[in-house]
Amino acid sequence: MTFNIRGFTTPVDGRHGWSHRARASVATVLDQAPDVLGVQELQRPALATYRDELPGYGLVLGPAAGPRWRPEHNAILYARDRLEVLGSGGFWLSATPEVPSASWDSRNVRALNWVRFGVRGTDTTFRHVNVHLDHWSDRARVESVALLLHRLAGSAEPTVVTGDFNCPPGSAAHRTLLAQGYADTCVQDEDTFHGFGRLDAAVARRFHRGRLRLDWILASGDWDVGGSWIVRGTGASDHDPVVADLGLSGERRLQCSRGDAGGRR
């Protein structure tokens, strides 16, 4: 599952402030029950909520992005009963990736977080990568994807990339990832960003040259994609989360099971 949770409040948010959405955000995660979840814009208020209300999930914060006075994380949450962390790391999406920095006309400091997981009770491992690309600069998005591919190359381990890419399918960043063997698991060409209904849709679509499906789950390696869906009507964020049902050959499925009282299978 990928979910830009807008885990903070600004003066313009009004009734959409985090305190009004926190319960819906937690309920969305519990209802979908993903084995792994990449969140974007996790700031201090949301971090406190998630740690208190989601005890069944471990959390790897990754590098801090955004402004220093209001840092945010592209955190990766995982089901403790299903998965164990074998390694983790991250870097900044810039020309100097080892230090907090912004490049390529990016409006914000951006970062990548990754975790290597083992599936408990099996020999199966996989890698989860979570990103939030810049909302302003086309060049920053393209260069960030190139850096992602360069830094994560050399491993044949199955990989899932989640994130808010701030550009639609068909964009240069999307085409580059697909050309390097990543499959887009979502078949619905529908918006995932709605801005709490405050967007001028015509202007937004013209700016992004197409639909606002900005939130993707991409898979590389030996994955079986059983389906995907966009979770609508939660009121939890200005983005709708996206979920994919993924399986690795010969192993139990890693998935979010909708409507299953047993949660994860």
Side-chain angles (χ1 to χ4, degrees):
M1 179 173 171
T2 187
F3 194 8
N4 182 327
I5 63 172
R6 191 174 175 84
F8 58 92
T9 299
T10 66
V12 301
D13 283 339
R15 63 187 178 89
H16 300 298
W18 176 253
S19 63
H20 300 293
R21 295 183 286 108
R23 182 176 297 178
S25 184
V26 169
T28 300
V29 175
L30 292 175
D31 180 62
Q32 297 299 314
D35 285 308
V36 286
L37 163 62
V39 299
Q40 302 85 42
E41 297 187 359
L42 182 79
Q43 295 189 11
R44 289 188 184 97
L47 177 59
T49 298
Y50 273 32
R51 280 178 166 162
D52 288 344
E53 302 296 331
L54 296 172
Y57 284 92
L59 187 150
V60 180
L61 276 177
R68 282 181 292 180
W69 63 89
R70 200 179 72 185
E72 63 186 40
H73 297 268
N74 301 319
I76 293 175
L77 285 78
Y78 62 96
R80 298 179 190 272
D81 62 334
R82 293 276 282 119
L83 304 172
E84 60 179 327
V85 173
L86 302 179
S88 65
F91 51 86
W92 285 271
L93 298 173
S94 78
T96 52
E98 301 307 324
V99 296
S101 50
S103 302
W104 312 309
D105 302 319
S106 175
R107 286 294 179 94
N108 289 311
V109 174
R110 304 289 183 177
L112 176 149
N113 185 22
W114 64 265
V115 180
R116 185 169 178 260
F117 288 110
V119 181
R120 294 189 184 279
T122 77
D123 294 328
T124 300
T125 64
F126 69 97
R127 183 171 55 181
H128 182 182
V129 178
N130 190 35
V131 299
H132 188 187
L133 301 190
D134 195 62
H135 68 294
W136 184 258
S137 169
D138 283 334
R139 183 188 174 198
R141 291 189 288 269
V142 170
E143 295 282 3
S144 294
V145 165
L147 180 63
L148 177 160
L149 292 168
H150 173 71
R151 293 290 294 263
L152 300 179
S155 172
E157 194 165 42
T159 299
V160 175
V161 180
T162 58
D164 173 3
F165 290 81
N166 272 312
C167 54
S171 61
H174 189 262
R175 294 196 307 271
T176 299
L177 286 161
L178 267 57
Q180 294 300 312
Y182 286 86
D184 190 341
T185 65
C186 188
V187 297
Q188 302 96 323
D189 186 19
E190 301 174 0
D191 296 354
T192 60
F193 177 58
H194 53 76
F196 298 120
R198 297 182 301 208
L199 286 176
D200 181 327
V203 171
R205 282 177 168 74
R206 190 160 60 246
F207 178 77
H208 285 281
R209 305 183 186 90
R211 286 197 174 276
L212 293 175
R213 183 162 76 84
L214 311 183
D215 305 270
W216 314 336
I217 299 175
L218 307 175
S220 175
D222 192 20
W223 294 101
D224 169 35
V225 182
S228 65
W229 54 94
I230 301 168
V231 184
R232 302 294 193 189
T234 67
S237 180
D238 55 348
H239 287 247
D240 289 330
V242 180
V243 184
D245 178 0
L246 302 178
L248 287 165
S249 295
E251 304 294 347
R252 296 176 294 172
R253 301 186 70 78
L254 300 169
Q255 72 172 43
C256 166
S257 180
R258 292 177 295 175
D260 179 3
R264 295 178 300 273
R265 289 203 298 250

